[in-house]
Amino acid sequence: MTTALSIRDLTKAYANGFQALKGISLEIRKGDFFALLGPNGAGKSTTIGILCSLINKTSGKVEIFGHDIDRDFSAAKMETGLVPQEFNFNVFEPVEEIVVNQAGYFGIERRVGVRRAERYLKQLGLWEKRRCQARELSGGMKRRLMIARALVHEPRLLILDEPTAGVDIEIRRSMWDYLRELNAAGTTIILTTHYLEEAENLCRNIAIIDHGRLIENSSMKELIGKLQVETFVLDLRNPVKTLPKTEPECLRMIDETTLEADIQRGCSINFLFEQLSRQGIEVLSMRNKTNRLEQLFMHMIGNGADGKRKDAA
Amino acid sequence: MTPKQKLVAFKTILIKEVLRFSRIWVQTIVPPVVTTSLYFVIFGSLIGPRIGDMGGFRYMDYIVPGLIMMAVITNSYANVVSSFYGSKFHHHIEEMLVSPLPNYIIVMGFTAGGIARGMSVGMAVTLVSMAFSDLQVHDLTVLVTIVILTSTLFSLAGLINGVFARSFDDISIVPTFVLTPLTYLGGVFYTIQMLPAFWQKVSMANPILYMVDTFRFGFLGVSDIPVALSYLIVGGFILTLYLYALYLMNVGYGIRK
């Protein structure tokens, strides 16, 4: 079995008539680290909700490690762990109890559940807090608690719905390391996030959903390869009064010491530095204006530079 | 899931529920004991002697079984409705929904939690009642079985209320406007033989009457209604409510979009 998740023609129409999913088909290979991206309301959380039985699908077929979620729901759920977007534990329960109880819901004996809770709470830096009520935890700790809870039955497929939302950069990076380790140990991971840097850093393959349809499904490398123009921000040592001339023209002036350069894919950037040097302009530093994936993402979901959403085709 | 795994899951929900109401015992166990003690003092000790005998027994001895049953009913119901609605409201019902737990285990787990609370409160109230009356047990089997069945019935009813509830107001409407009147009119304080024939017939439509009456039979050995009929009616209600609760869970009413 090389397929972790298979989705065929998945649709979802809510009672109010809103068509959240319009026939999504997707395959995720075993061991993959997969990004599922899309703007708010695109259908990501609906898809995840269906995979985890929190939302009833309208039609379509879903298999998790070959187990149909309708006919063999028990086996399918045994394979799946979910870290949801919103905190969904009893905040008055002690941390350890939340994890041990979750093991119990999966039919895992209490003594085994206690052992596993210890392992995952230690790995996620929550062991010292095990006797605290969950409401006493910080936002980052609550996110990690949900990861520990999702892992306690040792699923082969872990679904993370914006796991690092509202988490500071240090904890976010430690969570990335932890997720990489999990993935390296064989767990297939599906990640939705609004931090596209996170997706680019962690994921090997990617799908983009917009308006309930899959508009992209490829490897991260292939997708990034589609980027035709990269925009760089140049910080200058001395101020300039007018926009420097270059051939081809590729510069925009942001302020007296900041320029933006659009560089075509495949072009050397040396030509730009040579021409600026000849004009006595010294570049102090250079950086990407936006994350490369973010640039592509904005283009694919039809956002203009002004951030206004264009009508989807 | 194997039968053993299902049993583990059931025990997990039950223990979680017991711990939940035990942690807040001042809110869950103490109030019914205090309220029932007041009933014992006012209706039993103060007003009771002026009323005289009821159904051939001291008024205090007559009302004690009904008051115990009233505590069992309200607490079984309250436990499940508040726990289930709370888990829906705070979304931690999702912990169960994402697991392979069959819906019937969820229904049975919450129901068992309600029974545990009903029995705990029932025991506490019974202990207090011993200070006010010298109750003798006439039929222990009837006592135990009818109290468990009653507790089961109202736990299931509480679960259904919890499934339908969309706000905290919704979980107090049924106990206030349905459960309390039915309990008060269910022969807790009087025998239906006192009522005119028409109201006796109306009272027979109140299911709580059968439970209170059978429970009283377990203590006093007298009953207004045949005990077998009570079991039949209570059993019928339990089966109907269980199947309905299971149906609601299977379609995901109020819990799955």
Side-chain angles (χ1 to χ4, degrees):
Chain A
M1 172 57 59
T2 55
T3 305
L5 174 68
S6 165
I7 299 176
R8 291 265 173 278
D9 304 320
L10 189 64
T11 68
K12 172 65 186 177
Y14 284 101
N16 62 7
F18 176 66
Q19 186 83 26
L21 297 178
K22 298 168 183 166
I24 283 182
S25 295
L26 185 65
E27 291 233 338
I28 296 175
R29 293 174 70 82
K30 186 179 159 190
D32 203 353
F33 205 137
F34 193 93
L36 187 61
L37 306 182
N40 287 332
K44 306 181 300 287
S45 293
T46 300
T47 307
I48 287 173
I50 291 170
L51 301 184
C52 300
S53 306
L54 297 175
I55 296 174
N56 294 327
K57 63 184 164 63
T58 303
S59 66
K61 188 175 177 176
V62 178
E63 286 181 348
I64 296 170
F65 286 101
H67 304 294
D68 188 298
I69 63 163
D70 294 322
R71 284 186 283 111
D72 199 5
F73 86 98
S74 179
K77 284 178 171 185
M78 284 288 192
E79 302 281 16
T80 315
L82 171 68
V83 180
Q85 202 177 114
E86 307 289 340
F87 300 130
N88 69 342
F89 42 76
N90 186 344
V91 292
F92 297 105
E93 278 180 3
V95 167
E96 188 180 17
E97 207 174 299
I98 288 171
V99 182
V100 173
N101 281 344
Q102 190 67 18
Y105 300 148
F106 281 81
I108 297 163
E109 296 271 9
R110 191 170 175 80
R111 61 188 163 76
V112 180
V114 167
R115 231 173 22 232
R116 287 192 191 173
E118 180 179 347
R119 185 196 313 158
Y120 291 112
L121 289 174
K122 277 182 176 168
Q123 285 178 4
L124 286 151
L126 291 171
W127 183 241
E128 302 304 317
K129 299 279 181 186
R130 65 190 181 281
R131 305 218 193 285
C132 295
Q133 287 189 345
R135 65 182 171 153
E136 295 167 42
L137 301 182
S138 68
M141 287 175 175
K142 285 176 181 163
R143 295 253 167 236
R144 283 179 280 156
L145 169 59
M146 293 204 294
I147 295 177
R149 186 185 61 178
L151 290 173
V152 75
H153 63 286
E154 304 189 332
R156 288 198 289 166
L157 174 65
L158 181 65
I159 301 171
L160 301 131
D161 196 359
E162 298 189 30
T164 56
V167 168
D168 72 45
I169 189 69
E170 193 187 342
I171 293 176
R172 192 182 309 165
R173 286 186 187 273
S174 74
M175 279 166 78
W176 289 0
D177 291 340
Y178 186 70
L179 295 175
R180 279 196 195 98
E181 280 171 29
L182 270 180
N183 181 241
T187 307
T188 307
I189 298 179
I190 300 174
L191 172 79
T192 81
T193 179
H194 281 120
Y195 302 115
L196 299 185
E197 180 204 359
E198 183 167 271
E200 191 180 344
N201 265 311
L202 292 172
C203 301
R204 286 188 287 279
N205 292 299
I206 182 168
I208 298 177
I209 301 179
D210 192 24
H211 288 98
R213 287 202 172 86
L214 206 63
I215 58 168
E216 181 63 52
N217 183 10
S218 62
S219 73
M220 189 66 76
K221 207 171 169 182
E222 267 175 52
L223 185 67
I224 297 293
K226 287 182 183 174
L227 195 63
Q228 293 304 311
V229 178
E230 263 189 277
T231 304
F232 296 94
V233 178
L234 311 179
D235 294 315
L236 310 181
R237 179 178 289 280
N238 299 309
V240 290
K241 296 275 181 234
T242 55
L243 182 68
K245 293 259 187 294
T246 56
E247 186 58 44
E249 280 186 18
C250 63
L251 291 175
R252 277 186 307 280
M253 197 160 163
I254 304 303
D255 59 40
E256 287 185 339
T257 56
T258 315
L259 301 175
E260 272 185 16
D262 294 329
I263 306 297
Q264 293 294 322
R265 183 167 173 259
C267 285
S268 162
I269 203 165
N270 286 353
F271 86 95
L272 180 64
F273 290 120
E274 283 164 12
Q275 293 187 40
L276 289 174
S277 267
R278 277 203 297 271
Q279 295 173 55
I281 297 168
E282 196 179 340
V283 177
L284 269 183
S285 65
M286 183 181 83
R287 63 179 190 279
N288 276 87
K289 184 183 179 189
T290 55
N291 167 270
R292 292 178 302 171
L293 181 58
E294 188 173 322
Q295 213 170 326
L296 264 169
F297 180 78
M298 297 295 276
H299 174 71
M300 295 181 88
I301 64 165
N303 278 279
D306 57 359
K308 284 182 186 160
R309 190 88 184 266
K310 292 172 190 166
D311 289 334
Chain B
M1 287 181 103
T2 63
K4 194 179 167 194
Q5 287 174 320
K6 287 176 186 169
L7 183 65
V8 169
F10 169 77
K11 273 163 50 185
T12 303
I13 303 175
L14 175 59
I15 292 168
K16 178 187 157 94
E17 285 300 298
V18 171
L19 288 175
R20 191 192 71 83
F21 75 74
S22 305
R23 251 187 238 122
I24 46 171
W25 61 276
V26 178
Q27 294 171 46
T28 53
I29 308 290
V30 175
V33 173
V34 172
T35 311
T36 318
S37 302
L38 290 171
Y39 279 120
F40 290 147
V41 172
I42 295 165
F43 292 103
S45 300
L46 299 178
I47 301 174
R50 295 179 185 222
I51 295 172
D53 284 358
M54 179 72 65
F57 295 90
R58 276 199 320 143
Y59 188 63
M60 171 61 99
D61 295 338
Y62 188 85
I63 65 168
V64 163
L67 289 173
I68 295 170
M69 200 51 130
M70 193 163 85
V72 170
I73 288 171
T74 50
N75 281 278
S76 302
Y77 191 94
N79 193 73
V80 184
V81 73
S82 60
S83 176
F84 192 84
Y85 180 69
S87 66
K88 231 173 69 170
F89 184 79
H90 295 290
H91 298 286
H92 49 87
I93 187 74
E94 291 174 6
E95 291 178 334
M96 292 180 198
L97 298 182
V98 301
S99 78
L101 271 173
N103 288 327
Y104 72 87
I105 298 285
I106 298 178
V107 171
M108 286 167 61
F110 273 100
T111 306
I115 296 169
R117 163 112 167 250
M119 299 296 281
S120 306
V121 171
M123 289 292 288
V125 171
T126 305
L127 287 175
V128 172
S129 75
M130 289 161 76
F132 295 89
S133 74
D134 50 352
L135 274 179
Q136 303 294 315
V137 174
H138 171 74
D139 190 330
L140 187 62
T141 311
V142 169
L143 269 186
V144 173
T145 52
I146 197 66
V147 81
I148 291 175
L149 290 172
T150 303
S151 189
T152 306
L153 193 161
F154 284 97
S155 297
L156 286 166
L159 180 66
I160 292 167
N161 188 174
V163 169
F164 280 109
R166 290 179 187 276
S167 69
F168 281 99
D169 287 343
D170 293 343
I171 66 172
S172 63
I173 287 171
V174 176
T176 308
F177 296 106
V178 181
L179 215 53
T180 307
L182 284 180
T183 311
Y184 277 69
L185 298 170
V188 172
F189 297 102
Y190 56 86
T191 162
I192 59 164
Q193 307 299 340
M194 289 171 63
L195 301 174
F198 172 75
W199 289 109
Q200 281 192 31
K201 280 188 183 144
V202 171
S203 293
M204 298 297 273
N206 178 0
I208 293 178
L209 175 75
Y210 297 85
M211 300 163 215
V212 169
D213 205 65
T214 305
F215 191 59
R216 185 176 288 125
F217 173 83
F219 278 115
L220 306 178
V222 295
S223 172
D224 292 336
I225 299 155
V227 170
L229 178 65
S230 294
Y231 278 109
L232 202 64
I233 287 172
V234 174
F237 267 104
I238 289 174
L239 186 64
T240 308
L241 292 178
Y242 171 74
L243 292 175
Y244 188 47
L246 194 58
Y247 163 77
L248 291 171
M249 293 295 292
N250 285 342
V251 297
Y253 190 92
I255 51 171
R256 288 189 172 96
K257 292 175 198 162

